[in-house]
Amino acid sequence: MEDVLVIGAGIFGLTLARKLQRAGRRVVVAEARSVGAGASATPLGVLAPHAPDNWNPKKEAQFQALASLPDYLAELEDETGMATGYARCGRLIPLATENQRAVWERRIVDAVENWRGKAVLERVERPDPTWLAAEAAPFGAMFCGLSAKIDARGYLAALAASVGDVVRVGMVLERLEDRRAIFAGGERIEAERIILATGADAFRHLPLAESGEPAGRGEKGQAAVLEIEGDTGGRPIIFHDGTYVVPRGAQSVAVGATSERYFERADATDAQLDEKISWATALCPALFGARVVERWAAARPRAADRGLMVGPHLVLNGVSLATGGFKTGLAMAHTLGVEDLE
Ligand SMILES: Cc1cc2nc3c(=O)[nH]c(=O)nc-3n(C[C@H](O)[C@H](O)[C@H](O)COP(=O)(O)OP(=O)(O)OC[C@H]3O[C@@H](n4cnc5c(N)ncnc54)[C@H](O)[C@@H]3O)c2cc1C
């Protein structure tokens, strides 16, 4: 019998595998496709706080996660010698109406109180029109100094290097029993503790909620990488109405993402992504004429209450789950605790 079997080599599975190893456990990771084959390999990599007003425990937890992430990543980079591309680049939020300006200006005071000096929220009267289109920001923009970005694929590669040679690919989970996982082809692995970290796939292994609804579902997102003229280093992220423009350094920008409840294939892209690119181009003139170099899609793990789902399986013994990252999994993964699993 194995000590711990983690199923899924996304950001949740790899993070927990590393933490469990550090706690002295022997860990095997079973993955259907390859490291980062799911939502975690998003080209966006935005690490953005919730709005600073109406503060609540969920916002506080995310604030603490954003605050602790740089030290965590520095330690991972030191250990592996690999870059995660973390940068506190900030985020511009264009103000399209007088009302939006009033709402966001009130939030400046909330940010002083709730972000506790970690970063400012401030109004920019005239953002650089070569980066944020003047027509998109008739009332200027807000600059959120707490927002950051990360190279999600670099982050995954560093975690994979840290956990070492414990990932077995080509292992497609079919069914779970008490302390036992059954994979396609019939292979069975027994373990003292099994961690179900298969992202959006995890919900099908969970009992229905009291309401009779599934515990969660996949929500598809599409994103693209564009090649532009000039270096985007030092530029802030732009965010407006569900559309992100994320500078990725030399001549590279990521845009996204769609939010789709109904879909046939999680990894296919379509005209909804073209529309997203058009929205992004209307926000950021630097994208005019840009070449699309990657089209990407995956399903986000969205729990019914949109929260993280980390803890023991309600029915199966020796099985724990770690999913529900939804739109902030990259920001939150490092806060998952081994002690929360049991
Ligand atoms: C378009 C898009 C943009 C996003 N942008 C951001 C962002 O900017 N910032 C942010 O913080 N978050 C973002 N997210 C959300 C983030 O990607 C997720 O919250 C996070 O990646 C979830 O991690 P996970 O490890 O739970 O799942 P996944 O990364 O999906 O990992 C699950 C792993 O399990 C494997 N697997 C699945 N089924 C099986 C099976 N049956 N057997 C074995 N293995 C299996 C998969 O191949 C995969 O490797 C985005 C998501 C999408 C789709």
Side-chain angles (χ1 to χ4, degrees):
M1 183 178 275
E2 300 288 347
D3 194 0
V4 183
L5 169 66
V6 175
I7 311 176
I11 203 79
F12 276 30
L14 291 176
T15 299
L16 284 167
R18 182 169 182 255
K19 290 194 178 192
L20 286 156
Q21 283 179 334
R22 291 186 163 202
R25 310 293 294 269
R26 277 181 303 107
V27 181
V28 174
V29 180
E31 160 62 42
R33 292 175 287 168
S34 56
V35 167
S40 299
T42 168
L44 290 181
V46 174
L47 307 167
H50 293 293
D53 52 349
N54 303 319
W55 206 241
N56 60 34
K58 190 175 169 189
K59 291 188 176 189
E60 176 66 21
Q62 202 210 8
F63 171 77
Q64 294 296 343
L66 291 173
S68 59
L69 188 56
D71 285 349
Y72 173 86
L73 293 172
E75 196 258 333
L76 176 65
E77 291 186 347
D78 274 356
E79 180 206 331
T80 60
M82 297 167 79
T84 61
Y86 175 88
R88 181 87 89 79
C89 57
R91 180 175 50 130
L92 280 175
I93 302 147
L95 301 170
T97 64
E98 181 72 58
N99 186 50
Q100 274 180 5
R101 179 169 73 175
V103 168
W104 276 96
E105 281 188 341
R106 280 198 296 277
R107 289 176 176 161
I108 291 175
V109 183
D110 297 308
V112 171
E113 187 183 336
N114 294 321
W115 293 355
R116 282 153 268 168
K118 273 275 175 201
V120 292
L121 180 70
E122 60 192 1
R123 185 155 169 267
V124 184
E125 186 81 38
R126 261 184 263 288
D128 178 350
T130 65
W131 185 245
L132 175 58
E135 311 81 69
F139 293 88
M142 295 307 292
F143 179 76
C144 164
L146 196 53
S147 295
K149 63 180 176 177
I150 193 163
D151 169 7
R153 296 166 193 183
Y155 186 11
L156 287 162
L159 287 172
S162 176
V163 299
D165 194 14
V166 298
V167 183
R168 285 185 60 191
V169 297
M171 302 285 290
V172 180
L173 176 69
E174 283 199 336
R175 207 170 76 247
L176 284 168
E177 296 173 355
D178 292 348
R179 297 193 173 79
R180 183 180 300 131
I182 296 120
F183 294 88
E187 185 172 348
R188 291 159 180 253
I189 300 182
E190 299 194 348
E192 287 293 333
R193 170 89 19 208
I194 295 176
I195 318 288
L196 178 63
T198 54
D201 167 85
F203 300 116
R204 77 187 165 92
H205 301 282
L206 307 183
L208 298 179
E210 270 177 28
S211 61
E213 295 290 310
R217 61 177 168 84
E219 181 177 290
K220 181 174 170 178
Q222 303 184 39
V225 180
L226 278 61
E227 188 181 273
I228 65 164
E229 303 267 314
D231 194 350
T232 65
R235 293 291 199 183
I237 294 163
I238 300 172
F239 175 71
H240 178 63
D241 208 13
T243 299
Y244 277 107
V245 176
V246 185
R248 290 160 41 105
Q251 301 181 320
S252 183
V253 173
V255 306
T258 64
S259 290
E260 302 163 49
R261 178 166 190 162
Y262 302 102
F263 54 89
E264 279 177 15
R265 283 195 49 185
D267 60 354
T269 61
D270 58 29
Q272 296 178 74
L273 180 56
D274 299 314
E275 192 183 16
K276 204 37 110 175
I277 295 170
S278 299
W279 282 112
T281 307
L283 286 174
C284 180
L287 302 184
F288 275 112
R291 195 164 68 89
V292 178
V293 292
E294 181 182 348
R295 296 168 70 88
W296 179 91
R300 308 171 178 97
R302 181 192 192 280
D305 68 355
R306 295 167 171 238
L308 295 179
M309 291 185 85
V310 183
H313 193 285
L314 289 178
V315 177
L316 298 174
N317 294 312
V319 177
S320 301
L321 46 131
T323 186
F326 194 32
K327 294 188 173 177
T328 60
L330 297 171
M332 301 303 295
H334 71 291
T335 67
L336 303 181
V338 168
E339 62 287 351
D340 301 328
L341 294 168
E342 301 192 17

